[in-house]
Amino acid sequence: MEMLSGAQMVIRTLEDLGVDKLFGYPGGGVLHIYDALLESSKIKHILVRHEQGASHMADGYARATGKVGCVLVTSGPGATNVITGIATAYADSIPMVILTGQVATTLIGSDAFQEVDMLGISRPIVKHSFLCKKATDIPEYIRKAFYIASTGRPGPVVVDIPKDAQNPQLKFPYNPVPLSEISMRSYNPTTVGHRGQVKRAARMVVEAKRPILYIGGGVIASEASAKVYDLAHRFNIPVVTTLMAIGAFPGSDELSLGMLGMHGTYAANMAMHNSDLIIALGARFDDRVTNNISKFCPEARIIHVDIDPSSISKCVEVDVPIVGNVNTVLDQLNEALKELEANNNIDEQRMKSDSEGWWKQINGFKQAHPLEYASDITPGLLHPAKVVEEVYKASKGDAIVVTDVGQHQMFAALYYPLEKPRRFLSSGGLGTMGYGFPAAIGAKIANPDSEVVCFTGDGSFQMNLQELAVCLQYNVPVKVIIINNRSLGMVKQWQMMFYNGRQSESYMDAVPDFVKLAESYGQVGLRVNNESELSDVLAKAFSIHDKTVVVDIIADPDSRVYPMQIGGGSMADMFLSKTERT
């Protein structure tokens, strides 16, 4: 039997689990592990420049692939620096395993150098956490961490490894349990929906006159996009997506109404408000979708499918709760619909007539207020939506789009339609500025042959711009589109709209020269000063494939994102422009 040290067990276990990319930063608490890493030919380590960058890169890698992202950092400040990244992944249900160093077990609780209670600090923002007190715990706990992170509702798991458990001088038998045999008595996620509830849902689908499919990130996590497409087209049902589900249903499809919610399209929000049946798949009815819950979709009955039982009726009471994997439940629903059809319980003529009436109403919404920004344009200044439209053209609409958080995030969500899942990566639940650029690096490392575009702002980019060094060291060529309005755009928008125009600390008096900054890291920097330069500069940017290109685009500082729900109202209550509201 093979004898390994605890540090060697960490690396061998990761290899056995198929980990090929590891994002991290060394320090005293994990030096034994980093020394063992030298023996591995299967794992490529990405040396980040800040531990938060490691967590966001692993997150972007996970979102782009569906695999578990893996992070290795040292104890104390190394561990606390990944907390924001862990919380980001937890909020959006992203599978990650975070390996953190810890002081020796004999020193835990003594306030030793670089000691923090990582399990206690991270407990509210992880699915689970482990403390490996012995080297022999390591293979089992890391395997369980990957199992928990990737099953049920995905999420991050922390494995804290004290330094004495890594001791290279002490060897123990390495006899791992295959991941397929891992089981935990207290953790058994339900994947198959209740048969009776599925049958109820099927009857409601065929009886509805104004149904709508409301899909969330769970559709992507469960790889259910094709089945959602089939269901929508079989019954001619309109589809709205959350920010996390962009790309789960083709943006150009005739049934797509786009994103719903706070900055959702007029048609999406009005269709939701007027529906009589909401089929919610892998979505959680969060506040950025529902607006005032007491006014939410007053005529609609609700079917809610989610693998996390705690998410069902958490925010909005539903009529038919179904706990299970969306992919599996859609198979069950299809069978239930076939059964109704075989028993002549589907009135196709009536459904066709209802569908025509429903789509006539929806097309009226589309025509009344199509997605547009012309009313928000300041003469002579470049509107952010125009930037996104031109990037869409320059990238032929086929990029993996990663965003930071703010106005640019919403403009990207609205004006860059995507046709495939895992091609729109954004921090939705936590709203993490500084997420976009390192996540784009992680996505590019996962998909080296795909174009990866990061939409960011002058505020967000400055939070993790040091990761330009990773692009240089590992030759990771991404496109960084900075929509530079010299302000915190979304903060400013709220201040202008709800604080009588009083701007408190939302204007950035000092912004670096992003072109020179990119060049100082050995990358390419370009600038766009006005609309006449935009298409040519973007064409140049997208012709460069061997370096990261940072495009600094000077944009209108007074542009706003519309539509925007009116706080306290229903989904139908929206600001449509600076002068118009529903």
Side-chain angles (χ1 to χ4, degrees):
M1 185 175 292
E2 190 174 16
M3 303 292 286
L4 299 176
S5 70
Q8 289 172 320
M9 286 184 183
V10 172
I11 301 304
R12 181 62 60 81
T13 303
L14 294 180
E15 288 179 339
D16 290 349
L17 291 169
V19 173
D20 59 354
K21 301 295 187 300
L22 180 61
F23 302 90
Y25 201 94
V30 286
L31 283 183
H32 294 327
I33 299 173
Y34 271 90
D35 186 64
L37 182 62
L38 290 172
E39 302 170 11
S40 176
S41 60
K42 297 179 181 179
I43 298 173
K44 180 176 181 179
H45 181 272
I46 308 299
L47 177 63
V48 301
R49 297 310 189 261
H50 190 286
E51 291 90 351
Q52 186 183 129
S55 58
H56 292 328
M57 286 181 206
D59 178 305
Y61 179 90
R63 293 191 202 222
T65 62
K67 299 178 182 178
V68 177
C70 198
V71 174
L72 174 61
V73 294
T74 194
S75 61
T80 58
N81 278 346
V82 299
I83 287 294
T84 298
I86 295 172
T88 300
Y90 183 75
D92 292 342
S93 305
I94 306 304
M96 282 173 50
V97 169
I98 303 92
L99 307 176
T100 58
Q102 184 54 275
V103 299
T105 54
T106 55
L107 295 175
I108 291 176
S110 69
D111 294 329
F113 177 67
Q114 291 193 334
E115 179 194 1
V116 296
D117 178 7
M118 186 58 179
L119 269 62
I121 290 170
S122 65
R123 185 168 289 117
I125 52 171
V126 295
K127 282 190 72 176
H128 197 66
S129 52
F130 294 94
L131 175 62
C132 301
K133 293 185 178 180
K134 307 188 298 290
T136 51
D137 291 338
I138 290 171
E140 177 189 359
Y141 287 0
I142 292 179
R143 278 174 167 76
K144 285 183 175 179
F146 273 75
Y147 172 66
I148 294 170
S150 60
T151 56
R153 178 179 178 176
V157 179
V158 165
V159 182
D160 205 32
I161 309 175
K163 192 162 186 179
D164 53 338
Q166 309 166 28
N167 190 340
Q169 304 304 317
L170 302 177
K171 303 293 179 75
F172 303 91
Y174 180 68
N175 186 26
V177 176
L179 190 61
S180 60
E181 296 179 18
I182 291 288
S183 64
M184 300 177 67
R185 187 177 60 183
S186 60
Y187 177 70
N188 293 289
T190 300
T191 58
V192 179
H194 185 280
R195 192 163 179 264
Q197 293 293 75
V198 172
K199 285 189 170 185
R200 283 185 62 199
R203 286 193 295 271
M204 290 169 68
V205 169
V206 300
E207 291 169 359
K209 295 182 178 180
R210 301 185 307 280
I212 192 164
L213 274 162
Y214 156 43
I215 65 173
V219 170
I220 294 176
S222 65
E223 308 289 350
S225 295
K227 292 173 185 176
V228 170
Y229 181 91
D230 291 343
L231 177 63
H233 277 270
R234 181 178 178 186
F235 294 102
N236 205 30
I237 303 174
V239 180
V240 297
T241 65
T242 65
L243 185 73
M244 291 294 94
I246 289 175
F249 191 83
S252 63
D253 192 275
E254 60 187 359
L255 301 184
S256 174
L257 304 185
M259 186 176 71
L260 81 164
M262 176 172 282
H263 291 291
T265 68
Y266 178 82
N269 286 346
M270 291 300 291
M272 280 286 287
H273 183 74
N274 287 277
S275 66
D276 67 354
L277 177 67
I278 296 170
I279 307 162
L281 304 175
R284 57 190 180 87
F285 294 90
D286 70 286
D287 62 294
R288 283 304 194 260
V289 165
T290 61
N291 207 355
N292 188 332
I293 290 173
S294 67
K295 300 177 181 179
F296 178 73
C297 303
E299 299 179 23
R301 293 188 297 170
I302 301 174
I303 300 165
H304 189 187
V305 181
D306 202 289
I307 200 162
D308 180 5
S310 70
S311 289
I312 294 181
S313 292
K314 181 178 182 179
C315 300
V316 174
E317 286 294 325
V318 304
D319 298 277
V320 180
I322 302 175
V323 178
N325 179 287
V326 173
N327 198 319
T328 303
V329 172
L330 284 175
D331 283 338
Q332 293 178 269
L333 182 62
N334 187 48
E335 289 302 312
L337 289 166
K338 285 181 180 178
E339 188 177 319
L340 289 176
E341 193 171 36
N343 294 329
N344 297 315
N345 289 327
I346 296 180
D347 186 345
E348 293 187 4
Q349 191 60 39
R350 192 272 306 164
M351 291 183 69
K352 184 172 185 256
S353 175
D354 290 342
S355 176
E356 288 174 354
W358 182 216
W359 274 102
K360 182 178 180 181
Q361 188 176 0
I362 290 172
N363 288 330
F365 298 147
K366 288 182 175 182
Q367 291 165 13
H369 296 289
L371 194 59
E372 64 86 28
Y373 55 90
S375 59
D376 190 43
I377 291 176
T378 303
L381 297 179
L382 189 50
H383 195 281
K386 176 66 175 177
V387 174
V388 177
E389 286 182 339
E390 290 299 319
V391 171
Y392 178 84
K393 294 176 185 176
S395 62
K396 300 180 174 61
D398 193 34
I400 295 174
V401 175
V402 189
T403 81
D404 264 299
V405 171
Q407 284 183 322
H408 63 270
Q409 176 189 31
M410 294 297 104
F411 284 124
L414 292 169
Y415 291 94
Y416 196 111
L418 285 155
E419 307 301 304
K420 303 173 187 175
R422 302 198 181 281
R423 299 183 78 83
F424 185 86
L425 318 182
S426 191
S427 171
L430 196 66
T432 306
M433 292 177 66
Y435 167 84
F437 180 44
I441 294 173
K444 183 66 175 180
I445 288 170
N447 297 276
D449 296 327
S450 295
E451 191 74 81
V452 177
V453 175
C454 174
F455 286 103
T456 186
D458 48 296
S460 288
F461 186 60
Q462 291 185 79
M463 290 194 170
N464 274 312
L465 56 77
Q466 74 283 342
E467 304 307 333
L468 279 164
V470 172
C471 297
L472 175 62
Q473 181 169 344
Y474 299 99
N475 189 27
V476 185
V478 301
K479 303 293 186 293
V480 181
I481 308 298
I482 302 175
I483 298 179
N484 185 351
N485 55 14
R486 299 183 70 88
S487 64
L488 302 176
M490 192 61 85
V491 173
K492 181 179 177 181
Q493 176 169 335
W494 278 62
Q495 289 176 340
M496 295 299 290
M497 294 176 69
F498 307 121
Y499 294 86
N500 295 321
R502 297 191 303 275
Q503 296 178 49
S504 178
E505 303 301 324
S506 56
Y507 179 75
M508 290 195 165
D509 293 311
V511 175
D513 184 328
F514 292 114
V515 172
K516 290 181 179 178
L517 181 74
E519 292 171 348
S520 74
Y521 279 94
Q523 307 306 305
V524 176
L526 303 172
R527 180 170 289 115
V528 175
N529 293 293
N530 52 60
E531 187 172 336
S532 65
E533 300 173 353
L534 182 59
S535 61
D536 288 343
V537 172
L538 289 177
K540 181 177 180 180
F542 281 89
S543 71
I544 298 170
H545 302 293
D546 59 342
K547 290 187 177 182
T548 285
V549 183
V550 176
V551 187
D552 181 20
I553 302 178
I554 309 304
D556 181 2
D558 293 320
S559 60
R560 300 181 190 175
V561 183
Y562 294 107
M564 180 177 181
Q565 286 179 337
I566 300 170
S570 70
M571 294 205 71
D573 297 320
M574 290 168 273
F575 296 105
L576 300 174
S577 70
K578 290 178 181 177
T579 59
E580 187 179 10
R581 56 187 284 174
T582 55

